[in-house]
Amino acid sequence: MQHLAMYQILLITVYAFIAINDSLISNTLTQPAIAGMISGMIMGDLETGLMVGGTLQLMRLGIAAFGGASVPDYFTGAVLGTAFAVISGKGAEYGIGLAVPVSLLMLQLDVVARFCNVFLLHRIDKAIEGMNINRIPRLVLSGSFLWGFSRAIPILLMLLVGDAAVSTITDNTPEWLMTGLRTAGGVLPVVGVAILLHYLPTKQYIPYLLLGFFLSAYLQVPMLGISIVGVIAAMLVFKRDSAKEAEVQTMTTSGTFEGGFDGDE
């Protein structure tokens, strides 16, 4: 059973604060795969971090927060799932099983954080109406801090109590529940892939889908090898479609006339 060092808790908390603010700009650091990787590096177990984060990334592929809607916070799930998986020593499946309820719980806190920022936004509107320009930067900065603390504080608290709590939970958890968590961790990525395939033009690419399944299931080709085959297939499809588009444009612009202007002579 590994124990959290104070520097690990501080680094993960600072990363969470920076990442959630970065989500308003580039939305890179909050990707579950990135969050799992960075958390794994801090925890000293990069492999587990990549497994937890990559699995949650698959679950997130078919979900987006359009129009300000709140969705499960797989970023926080990846961070805490990785930390708890390393602490418990139960492996990535355990961390994935814990990450899902954490993501759903943080959905509620996301609503609270947005509500607080709406309050600040109205204060900014009043400052603009009153031409109180000096207050605007402070209010905007306050919103950034509130948004960052909405993830940093819950993660900090869970990491502070997590060392003892996870040890107690894992030592007293029934085997049937652990088996259920591991099973859920194995099944949930399939749900994410299924959601993604539902919105993609899968039918016209069935041969490539079957090829990937054949390479994985029967030839035991590793994921990197299948990815390379996928890149090659994508290049061939792109080249074929580009050639067809160029041919259509050539036929459209190279019309011949009988003579004179518009063939009227």
Side-chain angles (χ1 to χ4, degrees), residues 45 53 98 162 194 224 230:
D45 192 341
L98 289 179
L224 180 60

Side-chain angles (χ1 to χ4, degrees), residues 80-91:
L80 293 177
T82 299
F84 289 164
V86 176
I87 293 172
S88 65
K90 300 289 185 179

Side-chain angles (χ1 to χ4, degrees), residues 13-61:
T13 302
V14 171
Y15 162 65
F17 181 89
I18 295 173
I20 196 62
N21 276 294
D22 175 76
S23 67
L24 303 175
I25 303 173
S26 67
N27 199 26
T28 300
L29 295 177
T30 53
Q31 294 298 319
I34 302 297
M37 179 187 70
I38 294 177
S39 301
M41 292 174 62
I42 295 174
M43 295 297 299
D45 192 341
L46 179 60
E47 181 179 355
T48 298
L50 289 173
M51 291 178 66
V52 174
T55 302
L56 293 178
Q57 186 74 53
L58 291 175
M59 298 171 59
R60 188 185 184 278
L61 287 176

Side-chain angles (χ1 to χ4, degrees), residues 17-250:
F17 181 89
I18 295 173
I20 196 62
N21 276 294
D22 175 76
S23 67
L24 303 175
I25 303 173
S26 67
N27 199 26
T28 300
L29 295 177
T30 53
Q31 294 298 319
I34 302 297
M37 179 187 70
I38 294 177
S39 301
M41 292 174 62
I42 295 174
M43 295 297 299
D45 192 341
L46 179 60
E47 181 179 355
T48 298
L50 289 173
M51 291 178 66
V52 174
T55 302
L56 293 178
Q57 186 74 53
L58 291 175
M59 298 171 59
R60 188 185 184 278
L61 287 176
I63 300 176
F66 293 112
S70 295
V71 298
D73 185 5
Y74 291 117
F75 159 69
T76 304
V79 172
L80 293 177
T82 299
F84 289 164
V86 176
I87 293 172
S88 65
K90 300 289 185 179
E93 293 84 0
Y94 176 79
I96 296 166
L98 289 179
V100 175
V102 168
S103 301
L104 295 174
L105 174 63
M106 288 302 300
L107 168 63
Q108 310 304 322
L109 293 181
D110 180 76
V111 175
V112 174
R114 292 175 186 270
F115 175 79
C116 293
N117 278 337
V118 169
F119 171 77
L120 288 174
L121 182 60
H122 289 311
R123 300 292 296 272
I124 292 174
D125 290 337
K126 291 183 179 179
I128 294 175
E129 292 175 359
M131 296 301 294
N132 193 349
I133 306 301
N134 293 329
R135 291 192 62 195
I136 297 176
R138 293 196 297 270
L139 290 171
V140 172
L141 188 60
S142 299
S144 177
F145 273 97
L146 282 175
W147 189 243
F149 288 147
S150 70
R151 301 309 192 277
I153 291 178
I155 288 177
L156 174 62
L157 293 176
M158 295 189 75
L159 290 178
L160 287 174
V161 303
D163 202 339
V166 171
S167 300
T168 303
I169 292 173
T170 54
D171 292 340
N172 296 278
T173 301
E175 184 60 30
W176 61 267
L177 181 57
M178 293 297 298
T179 302
L181 290 174
R182 286 192 292 266
T183 303
V187 171
L188 287 172
V190 181
V191 178
V193 174
I195 294 174
L196 178 64
L197 292 178
H198 178 72
Y199 292 102
L200 291 177
T202 308
K203 293 182 179 179
Q204 60 180 318
Y205 298 116
I206 286 293
Y208 301 104
L209 183 64
L210 294 177
L211 175 62
F213 175 77
F214 174 78
L215 292 175
S216 176
Y218 293 97
L219 299 184
Q220 305 298 320
V221 178
M223 188 59 65
L224 180 60
I226 296 177
S227 300
I228 294 174
V229 174
V231 171
I232 295 173
M235 293 173 65
L236 292 175
V237 171
F238 178 78
K239 184 177 180 180
R240 181 197 64 190
D241 292 346
S242 298
K244 286 184 179 180
E245 184 178 354
E247 182 179 353
V248 171
Q249 291 179 353
T250 301

